[in-house]
Amino acid sequence: MSTGTTSAPAIRYSAVTFDCPDPAELARFYGDALGLPVVYSSDDFILIGQEGSAGLGFCRLADYQRPTWPNPSHEKQAHIELGVDDLDAAQARLLALGAVEPTAQPQPDRWRVLLDPAGHPFCITTLV
């Protein structure tokens, strides 16, 4: 057993990855929405972002099941929050890019819940 002091290894946040049936479709949606280019691409995984910065990844999952939010039968597990200046304008843009608006909107004056093309819920808000 060592009694010397050692420094902790450097750990940095690099990406969040979403499982999906079609990485190219989801990368196109988020890339267009956020203005981020593809920085890595293979048949089963695509990463969007800026070189040297954290990004978003999309990984093909053969037996992918869409989340059923707000129905708890297949929960969302995680979601992303996007900051916007204008809820109505941002929502219209995201819907035009392929997002879907679910009927459940917990606090539509503060944030809006949308579903990406693979069914992942995400929120837009003016709070961040």
Side-chain angles (χ1 to χ4, degrees), residues 15-35:
V16 170
T17 298
F18 289 91
D19 292 339
C20 60
D22 184 348
E25 176 186 38
L26 217 50
R28 181 212 47 84
F29 172 78
Y30 281 106
D32 286 351
L34 299 171

Side-chain angles (χ1 to χ4, degrees), residues 9-86:
I11 300 172
R12 67 187 172 281
Y13 165 70
S14 61
V16 170
T17 298
F18 289 91
D19 292 339
C20 60
D22 184 348
E25 176 186 38
L26 217 50
R28 181 212 47 84
F29 172 78
Y30 281 106
D32 286 351
L34 299 171
L36 294 174
V38 171
V39 294
Y40 175 82
S41 180
S42 72
D43 289 342
D44 294 321
F45 180 78
I46 296 177
L47 180 70
I48 63 170
Q50 298 290 338
E51 289 291 339
S53 296
L56 289 175
F58 308 99
C59 184
R60 185 181 313 280
L61 187 63
D63 59 351
Y64 175 76
Q65 294 180 18
R66 294 174 71 93
T68 56
W69 183 92
N71 179 327
S73 66
H74 192 71
E75 285 286 352
K76 61 185 175 185
Q77 300 173 2
H79 71 278
I80 191 169
E81 303 276 341
L82 302 176
V84 301
D85 294 330
D86 180 311

